[in-house]
Amino acid sequence: MFASERLKGIDVFVCVTQAGSFKAAAEKMHLTGSAISKSIARLESRLGTRLFERTTRRLALTDAGTAFYRTCTGVLADLEEAELALQAEVSEPRGRVRIDLPGAFGRARVLPILLRWLEEHPGLIPHITFSDGFIEPFQEGVDVQVRIGGVDTWPDTVGQRLLGREWHVLCAAPGYLARRGTPLTERDLDDHQCIAYGWVDGTVSPWTFAGDSTGTTLRRHVPARLVVGNGEGLLMAALAGSGIAQLPSWLIQQQLADGTLVEVLPHLASEGLPIHLAWLKSRQALPRVSALLQVLAAELTAR
């Protein structure tokens, strides 16, 4: 099949999906209803699957139709961007861009960078989501993602760059330390109220401590007075004076600076999970993606 034949009917399919009916699409495209219907039928025949569920009252995409629609709109958006770039003879990023970020880190550190940068590029239409699991970019339609931890081996279709690693710090509110005293050794933690991270299944995450001069990291479960399954929740509990927490330095940077939290046992601060910038290799050359990668790599590596 020639490449041009693969494009036949895609514009009609997208228009029908967005318009919600064959009749509305026909009016929008200045075609007859019969022409629209035949175009969709030929497309379904070529693909070997039904794209729409048709009833007398409604027209709805099948699962295959939904997946095909996502792909088609992405292709059409790329074509539109390419045409605009050629017409303007510039590489100013424009068009839709999907960005997925880890929850707390994304809100605290990445989103402010993106919002400032997007003010300089009004032609961009960003779609920013937050998730803490690994998102396979091609399946989810994501252009760029930032990940803390995640997979050991990245798919061949994904480019990635190590931005750095977390730094885990022990901290507490001044009021708590005034009441209970400041621990001087790791074993002193047994006599303190510790706030730990936990999951729905009841599992509690151990704390990590810097080991000897070889760079060894030690892991230990501390007696937890309070277990919270969210980094921002842990921060709130520490600020409220509920005890000592181990938190990533990026999350408590402002609190340490203004004194609402105080670092304790600084010699036990330890290196944490890696932070990666990842992208779909096939979309890297698009101006909107390459520009986004540049600003995130520069801003996040510097922090």
Side-chain angles (χ1 to χ4, degrees):
M1 182 183 293
F2 291 108
S4 60
E5 293 179 341
R6 295 186 184 277
L7 298 176
K8 290 181 178 178
I10 287 180
D11 56 341
V12 174
F13 167 67
V14 170
C15 187
V16 169
T17 302
Q18 294 176 343
S21 71
F22 286 4
K23 180 179 179 181
E27 293 175 354
K28 189 173 182 179
M29 299 187 73
H30 305 291
L31 296 173
T32 64
S34 176
I36 295 289
S37 180
K38 288 179 180 178
S39 178
I40 295 298
R42 286 193 294 268
L43 181 60
E44 289 179 326
S45 176
R46 191 173 81 235
L47 296 174
T49 187
R50 293 181 65 84
L51 299 173
F52 292 102
E53 294 290 353
R54 303 167 177 81
T55 67
T56 56
R57 293 187 176 183
R58 60 190 289 270
L59 185 70
L61 287 171
T62 61
D63 290 342
T66 299
F68 190 60
Y69 174 73
R70 290 176 181 169
T71 300
C72 289
T73 52
V75 169
L76 293 176
D78 291 345
L79 288 172
E80 180 183 5
E81 180 177 0
E83 290 178 5
L84 290 171
L86 288 173
Q87 290 169 5
E89 295 185 349
V90 296
S91 58
E92 169 67 18
R94 63 180 70 237
R96 299 182 184 277
V97 58
R98 278 284 315 275
I99 308 160
D100 192 73
L101 307 173
F105 183 78
R107 288 186 288 271
R109 290 290 176 259
V110 189
L111 189 57
I113 295 171
L114 290 176
L115 294 178
R116 290 195 303 270
W117 182 70
L118 291 170
E119 284 293 320
E120 303 171 6
H121 302 285
L124 283 172
I125 307 173
H127 181 170
I128 303 170
T129 54
F130 297 89
S131 59
D132 289 318
F134 177 75
I135 301 296
E136 207 294 313
F138 182 75
Q139 293 180 356
E140 300 294 337
V142 173
D143 295 304
V144 174
Q145 60 178 300
V146 175
R147 275 291 161 268
I148 297 179
V151 297
D152 294 325
T153 303
W154 296 79
D156 292 338
T157 55
V158 176
Q160 58 87 19
R161 173 173 177 170
L162 178 65
L163 298 172
R165 300 183 74 91
E166 290 185 304
W167 194 251
H168 290 166
V169 175
L170 295 171
C171 61
Y176 170 83
L177 296 175
R179 295 193 311 272
R180 300 294 301 270
T182 300
L184 300 178
T185 69
E186 177 193 337
R187 288 301 171 188
D188 289 345
L189 294 172
D190 293 339
D191 298 322
H192 278 268
Q193 299 175 178
C194 296
I195 312 167
Y197 186 95
W199 287 272
V200 175
D201 63 2
T203 304
V204 178
S205 178
W207 283 6
T208 59
F209 302 113
D212 54 31
S213 58
T214 63
T216 303
T217 298
L218 306 176
R219 297 169 64 86
R220 177 190 166 203
H221 284 280
V222 296
R225 174 180 182 268
L226 176 63
V227 178
V228 182
N230 175 270
E232 290 159 314
L234 285 171
L235 172 58
M236 291 178 64
L239 287 170
S242 299
I244 298 174
Q246 184 173 66
L247 292 166
S249 58
W250 55 260
L251 183 60
I252 58 174
Q253 189 176 51
Q254 182 59 49
Q255 289 77 14
L256 291 177
D258 62 25
T260 52
L261 286 180
V262 176
E263 183 177 4
V264 299
L265 301 172
H267 62 286
L268 295 181
S270 61
E271 193 173 65
L273 295 171
I275 303 173
H276 282 95
L277 178 64
W279 61 91
L280 201 60
K281 290 180 180 178
S282 62
R283 302 174 73 80
Q284 182 178 348
L286 295 173
R288 64 176 181 267
V289 175
S290 61
L292 179 58
L293 291 174
Q294 289 176 18
V295 71
L296 289 181
E299 294 277 350
L300 293 176
T301 302
R303 287 169 177 255

